[in-house]
Amino acid sequence: MSNITLHWKLSHIPEQAVKKHCKMCGKLSIFTDTNVRRHNANGKSIYRFAIYKCEKNHTWNKKLAIYKTFSEHVAEIGEQNDESSIMSNIPITSLAELGVKVIHIVLDDVAGKHRIDKVLANQIEDWSRSQIVEKIEKGTILLNEQVIKPSSRLSKGERISIFI
Ligand SMILES: [Zn+2]
């Protein structure tokens, strides 16, 4: 296997803000959802967090859900389900180990405005935003087979190609 194709629907995720006391600032601050999600394993439980940041960039991890792991399945026992995003994070490193050379992402639907660098930075945990920007500029990440700017907006029907 040398390439895979993913289908994405980009939804309009409104920025969520929460008023909360920031320990670092020592005052009530407005924390904004970065849309970054993180999983932490702790024994037989997996915690899913949303990363929020205050105006001064201090981080707050909001717990979203707890998953219990059993031998075979993973069952969700946690509170609310968060955003109804159907996208899953791209495990770039694991895919590279499996011999994947190119990942194609077909945008089946796009609602709202989405910059390519931001979307990819949110979905690829193994690569930082600056690494993604560099790859877009070098042309190892293409949009519709063309070199584009990191700030390019995505539209329905377009195709992103990532050369690992
Ligand atoms: Zn703060």
Side-chain angles (χ1 to χ4, degrees):
M1 188 170 69
S2 66
N3 64 65
I4 58 166
T5 301
L6 306 170
H7 289 264
W8 278 4
K9 287 186 169 71
L10 299 181
S11 55
H12 175 65
I13 305 166
E15 275 207 336
Q16 283 187 290
V18 177
K19 241 184 185 176
K20 203 183 164 296
H21 182 83
C22 177
K23 272 186 207 159
M24 302 293 289
C25 291
K27 66 176 179 72
L28 205 62
S29 283
I30 295 170
F31 282 82
T32 316
D33 190 351
T34 61
N35 287 327
V36 174
R37 300 292 180 261
R38 198 148 285 166
H39 294 86
N40 283 348
N42 176 0
K44 285 206 174 250
S45 298
I46 298 168
Y47 296 87
R48 181 164 155 84
F49 294 96
I51 316 295
Y52 278 69
K53 286 197 167 165
C54 83
E55 296 138 296
K56 294 261 168 71
N57 244 9
H58 302 128
T59 309
W60 167 51
N61 296 337
K62 183 187 179 191
K63 195 186 286 177
L64 295 174
I66 305 166
Y67 305 86
K68 282 272 179 204
T69 54
F70 299 100
S71 49
E72 306 252 318
H73 354 257
V74 177
E76 186 177 350
I77 59 158
E79 307 128 54
Q80 78 267 52
N81 37 348
D82 53 3
E83 83 275 291
S84 57
S85 166
I86 62 149
M87 300 190 294
S88 52
N89 286 324
I90 305 178
I92 286 276
T93 309
S94 316
L95 290 173
E97 282 164 7
L98 289 171
V100 173
K101 300 272 185 280
V102 191
I103 299 169
H104 297 293
I105 300 159
V106 178
L107 301 168
D108 287 341
D109 200 10
V110 177
K113 291 174 180 168
H114 299 272
R115 284 172 58 133
I116 186 170
D117 57 346
K118 272 195 166 182
V119 168
L120 292 179
N122 282 341
Q123 297 307 314
I124 303 176
E125 284 188 349
D126 301 335
W127 288 348
S128 68
R129 172 99 171 259
S130 54
Q131 281 177 294
I132 286 164
V133 166
E134 205 184 296
K135 286 168 197 293
I136 292 172
E137 285 169 346
K138 278 199 318 205
T140 57
I141 296 177
L142 300 176
L143 185 63
N144 305 322
E145 325 274 303
Q146 288 176 346
V147 180
I148 35 87
K149 284 190 213 150
S151 61
S152 297
R153 302 235 197 235
L154 300 170
S155 312
K156 185 177 173 173
E158 292 188 313
R159 189 167 83 151
I160 302 169
S161 304
I162 302 168
F163 296 83
I164 301 180

